[in-house]
Amino acid sequence: MAEISLRKIVKDYGAVRAMHGVDLDVADGEFVAFVGPSGCGKSTLLRMIAGLEEISDGELSIGGRVVNELEPRDRDVAMVFQDYALYPHMTIRANIGFGLKMRGFKAAEINERVERAAGILQIADFLDRKPGQLSGGQRQRVAMGRAIVREPSVFLFDEPLSNLDAKLRVEMRTQIKRLHAMLRTTMIYVTHDQTEAMTLADRVVVLRGGHIVQQGAPMELYSNPETRFVGEFIGSPQMNIMSGILDRSGDVPQLCLGDQAMPLGVVAAADGARIDVGVRPEHLTLAGQGAEMIRAVPEVFEPLGSDLMAICSFSEHELTARLDPNLRLTAGTPIPLSYAMENLHYFDAETGKRLATV
């Protein structure tokens, strides 16, 4: 069993506190992604699990065993870094098996494990080549193979795809997903790319300023962000946020935005309160006759083939609408947009916390 338990984990760098009493449980065989902006503490937390950073306070256990004082080699974890750190003078076979050789494994067992890992990662044809003869994606597979041959209880990934181009990142995401489905080993994956987190993980943990601000299944975070920060961070393109004053004087509540108003559902906030309203780009559609809810002015169009991204001005705000790619629109000509009330998200303008709907 390779469940991981973090209890009130603290990390201090002198007088600066980087992690603030983090509590987290990772189930055996679960794939969890740590995501958040630079400096949020995600890599620090991963390195403490690996034993590469000392824990200032709290308790960390892996498989029911407290490992705070154990060296990295004694924790039964394997880590894959964004820097492949391969030995350029060694063959791929030698690179993958090097750690086992240093631990005194016999040549026959090393070769068996290397061959098995190479088969899983589809790099068996490259075993006699040198790292300089491989592409970036192939070198990253070699780094993963070096971790696989150890047969650890836990795999740790620290932004392993950040050095790859967009096409290779997509390919390697698929490879990592297949690897987890095949091995069913506990995996923790750190990334600043929320798309990676959502496509790979069973559960996403969002960090900010050394705190966990929300965790859950990818679509749970996407559909029900508990804060404005999570709403904006999860999803690409990010959620549109409009900030204004709630007006309950008419038959339908409205968000007053300077010279325009935005019809709302019934939200648990007082008349006159300043609130933030979020709507995702795909939930904005070109309105038919009589269905207009807001009028925006498109300024820039980004054709993506499957979609047309229209970046518009709306009152003093900028919003993005994901529209039908076959539409013929003109920059500067206002367009009518509509949305379903149930797709709106409401946040307290001061605290950023989600507001309930009634």
Side-chain angles (χ1 to χ4, degrees):
M1 300 293 286
E3 68 275 8
I4 300 171
S5 176
L6 292 83
R7 291 290 175 266
K8 303 189 183 307
I9 296 294
V10 171
K11 178 61 182 178
D12 293 327
Y13 293 102
V16 177
R17 177 151 293 183
M19 302 303 302
H20 301 264
V22 169
D23 289 308
L24 180 68
D25 290 307
V26 179
D28 180 44
E30 188 177 15
F31 195 134
V32 171
F34 294 168
V35 68
S38 297
C40 70
K42 56 188 183 294
S43 288
T44 298
L45 193 57
L46 190 79
R47 290 174 64 84
M48 285 193 286
I49 295 171
L52 302 177
E53 289 276 2
E54 183 179 343
I55 297 172
S56 302
D57 198 9
E59 182 178 280
L60 168 65
S61 64
I62 299 175
R65 178 179 61 156
V66 176
V67 300
N68 288 50
E69 305 301 325
L70 291 184
E71 294 294 323
R73 63 177 178 271
D74 298 322
R75 297 190 179 200
D76 197 21
V77 303
M79 193 158 177
V80 179
F81 300 90
Q82 67 182 70
D83 180 3
Y84 321 125
L86 303 179
Y87 297 106
H89 62 287
M90 292 184 180
T91 65
I92 300 309
R93 184 185 302 274
N95 265 283
I96 295 176
F98 184 75
L100 299 180
K101 182 178 179 180
M102 292 297 98
R103 291 176 176 227
F105 281 72
K106 294 181 178 179
E109 184 171 0
I110 293 175
N111 187 61
E112 181 183 341
R113 290 196 184 193
V114 169
E115 294 281 354
R116 184 165 61 247
I120 291 171
L121 296 169
Q122 301 174 6
I123 54 173
D125 293 341
F126 310 137
L127 288 177
D128 295 322
R129 298 185 188 180
K130 301 287 181 65
Q133 297 173 284
L134 304 185
S135 69
Q138 290 166 343
R139 289 197 294 271
Q140 189 57 275
R141 292 188 196 187
V142 175
M144 289 165 57
R146 191 169 47 193
I148 290 173
V149 294
R150 293 181 55 190
E151 298 180 359
S153 297
V154 178
F155 283 100
L156 306 175
F157 296 87
D158 191 6
E159 305 206 41
L161 309 185
S162 60
N163 290 335
L164 304 180
D165 62 36
K167 183 174 183 294
L168 279 175
R169 282 202 301 273
V170 173
E171 291 177 2
M172 287 305 300
R173 283 206 311 260
T174 302
Q175 192 70 43
I176 293 171
K177 190 91 170 180
R178 285 174 177 159
L179 181 65
H180 182 251
M182 187 179 300
L183 301 179
R184 302 310 305 175
T185 306
T186 307
M187 294 185 178
I188 299 180
Y189 188 101
V190 161
T191 180
H192 64 277
D193 185 337
Q194 49 84 27
T195 301
E196 280 184 19
M198 291 190 68
T199 54
L200 285 170
D202 303 319
R203 180 160 49 111
V204 176
V205 177
V206 183
L207 292 107
R208 185 186 192 190
H211 297 273
I212 293 175
V213 293
Q214 190 174 349
Q215 58 178 300
M219 287 309 297
E220 179 185 342
L221 269 62
Y222 186 82
S223 302
N224 298 292
E226 293 177 359
T227 65
R228 180 179 59 230
F229 170 78
V230 174
E232 290 184 284
F233 195 84
I234 298 295
S236 180
Q238 73 176 35
M239 178 185 287
N240 298 298
I241 299 289
M242 275 68 71
S243 182
I245 303 299
L246 176 62
D247 178 8
R248 292 183 176 278
S249 61
D251 295 335
V252 177
Q254 292 185 321
L255 185 71
C256 295
L257 300 155
D259 59 342
Q260 295 207 55
M262 180 178 182
L264 304 179
V266 182
V267 56
D271 184 39
R274 176 165 288 278
I275 65 172
D276 294 336
V277 177
V279 59
R280 296 203 178 276
E282 63 270 28
H283 292 150
L284 291 169
T285 59
L286 199 65
Q289 186 70 30
E292 175 182 334
M293 303 184 84
I294 61 174
R295 182 165 287 264
V297 180
E299 297 179 342
V300 177
F301 297 109
E302 296 179 349
L304 300 178
S306 59
D307 303 289
L308 175 68
M309 308 305 297
I311 293 84
C312 309
S313 62
F314 173 57
S315 186
E316 299 177 352
H317 296 78
E318 179 180 278
L319 62 79
T320 299
R322 187 191 294 268
L323 303 174
D324 187 314
N326 298 310
L327 290 173
R328 296 293 180 262
L329 304 175
T330 304
T333 300
I335 57 174
L337 296 173
S338 64
Y339 47 84
M341 295 295 187
E342 60 265 27
N343 289 329
L344 296 181
H345 303 264
Y346 306 98
F347 306 99
D348 185 282
E350 184 176 347
T351 66
K353 293 182 179 180
R354 187 179 187 87
L355 296 170
T357 53
V358 181

